[in-house]
């Protein structure tokens, strides 16, 4: 290795060697004697004319040129559908692969190329490496909201290429890579790079795509600092053990993820649940945690509940559907519920909660001030359990939805629920099995039908009351704002009036004769306008459309406040099910 000539500007290599030889071996290292670096003169020799010196080239010589960074969108300006189709076909020809008919059809249907198009749907297509590479001709020219790569048989090479493109061109806000079992370590590495670098990707669906020990560290590193990802589906991804530990540890620092779906991962009641509990202790940004169809058990629920106690703000939905929980685990949940202040949906469906479990849960639910939706479908309840649930309904001022399907609730339980709804004014939907349960006394079958109808009527009554209250509050807000507007207009009219009165005797006389009545009316308007918003609000309340004064008072005092339930009333009514996933009924 030799140094550039600029560094040694005086003396030749031979001179350097001779100078170095004159010094003793102790004074100069062996590397200097070899002539690889210029020597530094002794203190007394440094001012001698023959002394060696080191110089550096000027700035002009150092910077020989610069390369502009590539513009991802240099191909996308003023492009037409025909040009995209042509480029895609040419790209396929170069790579010696056939254009995908499904892709050609979707490109032909594109309308506006200046903004994100809805979807590039490749679901079910077999994408080898060449097919993936050819798609760059499209992705460099068009952006999409959704790119669906579900079940496309991606291998490591194809997945890496596609994820790199999606990252570089900011191609999607929603990406589905589900059911691709062979993307391997390099595929996940590219996916992690995409998650970390892109600022547009908000939703990643990787269901049934294995994320194993050797791939998990890349994804965990990306999640630690992920900027835009808000929704992550990792159902049936083989996460139990080290992968979950890495992900949970990373997510403690993630500030952006809002929804985490971990169903069907065989998560256990020991170390996996301990990791989830720790995650809930430190992360207050995740709003939905779906743990359905795992093996959390009562032991794991204890860990999860320790984290749940810390959720003063954050977790809104917790799904524990089918986790082999029993009445023993309900003790942990009952202790945690009064502590959490953000949880609105709790789904315990398909667990052996039983009557004893609901009795334990009841006190925790009554002490809780946030739960709006409760799922107890197929939890082995009978009439005794329904009575405990009815006690909670009677006490609750905010419960909106309750699912009690697939339980053995007969006449006694239905009677308790019906009585509870006579005093509850918040419950808008109570799901029960449509057909009555078998009874020893045949007449009880008809009694059950009557009670089921009463319960549904109670929910309808609550909905009408809540709707009326919402409309009343809306009128109040409108009246208050109208009063402010009227006051401003009245003030403006008075100012104009005063100005006109100052103009000559004739104008003043005309103002008195012709406009006297108008001025008087305006005075009345302005005096009304000057009424405080509170007075207008009161008038609006009194003039409500309610049939009777008693009903009006009930609307104002008992109907559930819309501020208690974050979603709009219409959304709540139209909500199809308690479950946040797609499997459960």
């Amino acid at each position: 290795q030799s140094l550039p000539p600029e560094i040694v500007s005086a003396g030749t290599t031979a001179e350097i060697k001779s100078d170095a030889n004159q010094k003793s071996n102790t004074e100069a290292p062996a590397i200097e004697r070899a002539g690889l670096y210029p020597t530094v003169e002794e203190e007394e020799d440094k001012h001698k004319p023959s002394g060696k010196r080191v110089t550096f080239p000027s700035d002009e010589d150092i910077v020989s040129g610069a390369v502009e960074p590539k513009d991802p969108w240099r191909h996308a300006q003023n492009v037409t559908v025909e040009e995209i189709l042509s480029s895609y076909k040419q790209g396929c020809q170069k790579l010696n692969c056939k254009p995908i008919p499904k892709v050609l059809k979707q490109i032909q249907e594109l309308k506006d190329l200046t903004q994100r198009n809805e979807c590039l749907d490749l679901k079910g297509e077999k994408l080898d490496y060449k097919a993936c590479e050819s798609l760059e001709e499209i992705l460099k020219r068009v952006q999409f909201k959704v790119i669906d790569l579900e079940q496309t048989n991606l291998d490591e090479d194809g997945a890496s290429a596609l994820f790199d493109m999606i990252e570089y061109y900011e191609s999607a806000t929603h990406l589905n890579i589900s059911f691709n079992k062979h993307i391997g370590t390099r595929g996940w590495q590219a996916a992690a790079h995409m998650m970390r670098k892109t600022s547009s990707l908000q939703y990643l669906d990787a269901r049934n795509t294995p994320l194993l020990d050797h791939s998990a560290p890349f994804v965990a590193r990306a999640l630690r600092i992920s900027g835009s990802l808000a929704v992550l589906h990792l159902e049936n991804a083989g996460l139990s053990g080290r992968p979950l530990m890495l992900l949970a540890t990373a997510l403690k620092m993630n500030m952006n993820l809002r929804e985490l779906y971990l169903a069907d991962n065989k998560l256990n009641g020991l170390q996996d649940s301990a990791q989830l509990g720790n995650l809930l202790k430190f992360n207050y940004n995740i709003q939905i945690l779906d743990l359905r169809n795992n093996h959390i058990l009562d032991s794991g629920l204890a860990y999860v509940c320790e984290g749940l106690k810390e959720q003063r703000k954050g977790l809104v939905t917790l799904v524990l559907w089918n986790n082999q929980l029993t009445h023993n685990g309900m003790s942990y949940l009952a202790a945690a519920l009064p502590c959490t202040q953000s949880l609105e949906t709790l789904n315990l469906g398909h667990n052996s909660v039983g009557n004893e479990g609901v009795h334990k849960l009841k006190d925790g639910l009554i002490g809780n001030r946030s739960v709006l939706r409760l799922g107890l479908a197929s939890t082995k309840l009978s009439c005794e359990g329904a009575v405990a649930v009815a006690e909670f309904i009677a006490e609750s001022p905010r419960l909106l939805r309750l699912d009690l399907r697939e339980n053995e609730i007969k006449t006694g339980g239905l009677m308790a629920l019906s009585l509870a709804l006579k005093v509850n004014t918040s419950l808008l939907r109570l799901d029960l099995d449509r057909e009555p349960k078998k009874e020893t006394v045949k007449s009880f079958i008809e009694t059950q039908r009557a009670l089921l109808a009463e319960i549904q009527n109670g929910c309808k009554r609550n909905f009408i009351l809540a709707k009326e209250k919402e409309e009343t509050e809306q009128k109040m807000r409108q009246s208050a704002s109208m009063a402010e507007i009227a006051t401003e207009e009245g003030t403006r009219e008075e100012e104009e009036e005063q100005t006109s009165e100052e103009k000559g005797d004739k104008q003043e006389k005309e103002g008195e004769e012709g406009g006297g009545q108008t001025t008087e009316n305006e005075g009345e308007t302005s005096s009304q306008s000057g009424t405080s918003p509170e007075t207008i609000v009161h008038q609006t309340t009194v003039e409500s459309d309610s049939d009777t004064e008693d009903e009006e008072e009930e609307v104002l005092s008992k109907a559930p406040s819309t501020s208690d339930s974050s979603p709009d009333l219409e959304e709540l009514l139209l909500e199809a099910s308690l479950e946040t996933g797609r499997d459960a009924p």
Side-chain angles (χ1 to χ4, degrees):
Q1 182 181 354
S2 60
L3 293 173
E6 292 89 346
I7 292 182
V8 184
S9 60
T12 64
T13 306
E15 288 174 335
I16 293 173
K17 283 183 180 177
S18 76
D19 287 342
N21 289 334
Q22 290 173 9
K23 298 185 181 183
S24 66
N25 290 345
T26 56
E27 291 176 10
I31 196 163
E32 287 183 358
R33 292 200 304 276
L36 293 178
Y37 293 102
T39 57
V40 179
E41 294 295 327
E42 296 296 328
E43 188 69 27
E44 58 268 25
D45 294 335
K46 69 180 178 182
H47 297 297
K48 291 181 182 178
S50 59
K52 308 299 181 291
R53 65 187 187 277
V54 177
T55 62
F56 296 93
S58 63
D59 289 346
E60 292 79 8
D61 293 331
I62 288 174
V63 180
S64 58
V67 179
E68 287 293 322
K70 285 186 179 180
D71 174 17
W73 296 112
R74 62 188 184 281
H75 299 287
Q77 294 164 358
N78 301 320
V79 72
T80 65
V81 168
E82 289 71 25
E83 287 169 351
I84 297 170
L85 285 168
S86 173
S87 300
Y88 174 56
K89 288 174 183 175
Q90 287 174 16
C92 290
Q93 196 173 355
K94 284 179 189 174
L95 290 160
N96 196 25
C97 66
K98 290 182 179 179
I100 301 169
K102 193 174 181 179
V103 171
L104 293 173
K105 185 182 177 187
Q106 289 177 76
I107 298 303
Q108 284 170 341
E109 292 171 355
L110 293 180
K111 296 287 187 276
D112 186 357
L113 300 176
T114 60
Q115 59 185 7
R116 285 191 184 274
N117 282 270
E118 279 304 316
C119 182
L120 179 61
D121 181 7
L122 293 158
K123 183 175 179 178
E125 297 291 329
K126 299 292 179 267
L127 300 180
D128 58 14
Y129 175 71
K130 289 181 179 179
C132 292
E133 279 290 338
S134 66
L135 289 170
E136 184 168 13
E137 297 301 330
I138 294 168
L139 297 181
K140 67 168 65 169
R141 293 172 172 85
V142 195
Q143 286 180 312
F144 298 92
K145 292 177 184 174
V146 179
I147 294 182
D148 191 347
L149 300 172
E150 183 173 324
Q151 211 165 348
T152 46
N153 213 30
L154 289 174
D155 60 9
E156 287 192 83
D157 293 333
S160 300
L162 267 179
F163 298 156
D164 285 347
M165 291 175 208
I166 291 166
E167 179 263 310
Y168 185 64
Y169 298 113
E170 300 278 359
S171 298
T173 58
H174 288 49
L175 178 62
N176 184 356
I177 60 170
S178 300
F179 292 90
N180 283 292
K181 297 187 177 180
H182 306 294
I183 70 170
T185 304
R186 279 191 294 118
W188 272 116
Q189 194 170 359
H193 186 264
M194 171 186 65
M195 291 159 64
R196 193 168 69 249
K197 292 290 185 181
T198 179
S199 59
S200 65
L201 188 65
Q202 299 166 16
Y203 179 110
L204 179 63
D205 189 345
R207 289 169 295 122
N208 297 278
T209 301
L211 178 58
L212 305 178
D213 285 18
H214 42 276
S215 307
F218 302 115
V219 178
R221 205 170 299 126
L223 288 173
R224 190 184 300 265
I225 54 172
S226 172
S228 61
L229 197 66
V231 180
L232 181 58
H233 282 269
L234 288 172
E235 293 97 329
N236 194 25
L239 297 182
S240 181
R242 187 164 179 264
L244 183 73
M245 183 267 288
L246 292 168
L247 293 178
T249 304
L251 285 172
K252 286 179 192 174
M253 301 177 215
N254 185 296
M255 304 289 287
N256 296 290
L257 196 71
R258 295 291 179 268
E259 300 179 18
L260 181 60
Y261 298 87
L262 300 175
D264 301 292
N265 274 296
K266 297 184 172 67
L267 303 182
N268 60 49
L270 297 171
Q271 61 266 37
D272 292 340
S273 297
Q275 294 297 338
L276 293 169
N278 267 329
L279 173 60
L280 290 175
K281 281 181 182 177
F282 291 95
N283 186 311
Y284 307 130
N285 299 294
I286 293 174
Q287 294 175 359
I288 295 177
L289 180 60
D290 187 345
L291 300 174
R292 78 183 60 221
N293 300 331
N294 282 297
H295 308 310
I296 299 295
L297 308 176
D298 294 330
S299 57
L301 186 58
Y303 288 114
V304 172
C305 287
E306 285 303 308
L308 192 60
K309 286 178 182 176
E310 304 298 322
Q311 292 288 321
R312 302 289 190 273
K313 54 174 185 175
L315 193 66
V316 175
T317 298
L318 177 61
V319 180
L320 292 165
W321 176 282
N322 189 26
N323 267 287
Q324 297 162 47
L325 307 177
T326 73
H327 63 89
N328 293 321
M330 296 306 105
S331 304
Y332 307 120
L333 206 46
L337 281 170
C339 301
T340 178
Q341 295 172 16
S342 59
L343 191 69
E344 293 181 2
T345 300
L346 175 62
N347 194 334
L348 295 167
H350 281 255
N351 289 292
S352 300
V353 175
N355 298 331
E356 188 178 346
V358 167
H359 274 290
K360 292 177 181 176
L361 201 56
K362 180 189 70 176
D363 293 333
L365 287 167
I366 291 171
N368 173 275
R369 288 288 175 267
S370 63
V371 171
L372 304 175
R373 291 167 286 274
L374 178 63
L376 291 170
S378 188
T379 48
K380 298 201 165 36
L381 301 185
S382 66
C383 291
E384 184 187 344
V387 170
V389 172
E391 289 175 24
F392 163 54
I393 293 173
E395 293 280 344
S396 174
R398 59 184 56 78
L399 187 68
L400 298 171
R401 169 91 193 272
L402 178 62
D403 190 351
L404 290 173
R405 288 172 295 177
E406 300 175 45
N407 286 299
E408 283 299 311
I409 300 174
K410 299 183 181 179
T411 309
L414 293 177
M415 201 172 288
L417 293 170
S418 177
L419 288 169
L421 266 165
K422 283 182 168 54
V423 295
N424 175 286
T425 57
S426 68
L427 193 62
L428 303 179
R429 180 167 171 180
L430 176 53
D431 291 312
L432 291 158
D433 295 325
R434 292 180 182 178
E435 290 302 314
K437 303 294 177 183
K438 290 180 180 177
E439 292 268 23
T440 50
V441 182
K442 285 188 179 180
S443 61
F444 284 1
I445 302 288
E446 290 308 312
T447 308
Q448 283 189 47
R449 291 187 196 281
L451 290 167
L452 285 167
E454 274 183 31
I455 289 167
Q456 295 313 315
N457 287 334
C459 291
K460 284 177 186 174
R461 181 205 68 223
N462 287 348
F463 176 74
I464 292 166
L465 292 178
K467 190 70 178 170
E468 284 179 359
K469 176 168 183 181
E470 187 182 45
E471 288 170 358
T472 304
E473 288 178 348
Q474 196 171 355
K475 284 180 185 176
M476 287 178 178
R477 288 192 294 270
Q478 287 176 351
S479 299
S481 59
M482 284 301 292
E484 291 166 12
I485 293 165
T487 305
E488 288 174 9
E489 286 177 352
T491 308
R492 201 177 297 120
E493 285 168 5
E494 285 174 0
E495 288 172 357
E496 288 171 2
E497 218 175 277
Q498 288 171 5
T499 309
S500 65
E501 284 174 359
E502 292 169 0
K503 291 180 182 178
D505 297 334
K506 189 176 179 181
Q507 288 177 331
E508 189 176 339
K509 190 180 288 183
E510 286 174 3
E512 287 173 1
E513 292 173 2
Q517 192 173 349
T518 308
T519 308
E520 189 178 340
N521 291 339
E522 282 175 352
E524 285 178 17
T525 305
S526 60
S527 67
Q528 282 182 358
S529 305
T531 309
S532 67
E534 289 78 13
T535 311
I536 303 278
V537 167
H538 179 69
Q539 289 171 357
T540 309
T541 306
V542 171
E543 293 167 4
S544 168
D545 293 330
S546 300
D547 295 334
T548 64
E549 289 181 8
D550 293 339
E551 186 183 349
E552 182 188 345
E553 287 171 9
E554 191 176 0
V555 170
L556 294 173
S557 62
K558 292 185 180 179
S561 169
T562 48
S563 62
D564 285 343
S565 54
S566 352
D568 290 335
L569 212 50
E570 295 292 346
E571 291 174 1
L572 290 169
L573 190 69
L574 294 172
E575 193 179 10
S577 67
L578 273 164
E579 289 71 51
T580 53
R582 43 178 80 66
D583 300 329

